[in-house]
Amino acid sequence: MDIEFEKLVAIIKKLPSKRLLQLKAEMERIISKEKDNATLKSLLLKGPVATQKQLETIEGNRKSINQWRAS
């Protein structure tokens, strides 16, 4: 749906108090979820990164474990 902001505000102003409270709660829930997602994204982007040597060690360990399981 594409509604102009002014029209949306006019529609919201016509809502009864109970519906306004429901709308406010829903908006706060959406905003909170967006903040949580942004925080997680920021955390992941700023987190530690494995070096190539560490990745090679992990891969070697995986191969060893898989060989151990197979025998």
Side-chain angles (χ1 to χ4, degrees):
M1 241 174 120
D2 189 21
I3 301 175
E4 291 180 26
F5 183 76
E6 291 78 17
K7 288 182 182 179
L8 182 59
V9 170
I11 293 169
I12 292 170
K13 286 182 178 182
K14 293 178 184 177
L15 291 174
S17 298
K18 184 176 180 181
R19 297 299 255 165
L20 279 172
L21 290 174
Q22 288 176 326
L23 177 61
K24 181 181 176 190
E26 181 65 16
M27 290 175 62
E28 288 173 349
R29 186 189 64 75
I30 291 169
I31 291 169
S32 175
K33 187 175 180 181
E34 288 177 3
K35 284 182 182 177
D36 290 346
N37 288 341
T39 302
L40 176 59
K41 182 179 179 181
S42 175
L43 176 67
L44 292 173
L45 289 174
K46 292 179 182 177
V49 179
T51 64
Q52 187 61 38
K53 185 175 181 177
Q54 290 170 325
L55 292 173
E56 290 168 2
T57 301
I58 292 168
E59 184 61 29
N61 291 342
R62 276 193 191 130
K63 286 180 182 178
S64 297
I65 291 170
N66 288 337
Q67 288 175 350
W68 172 74
R69 285 183 183 171
S71 50

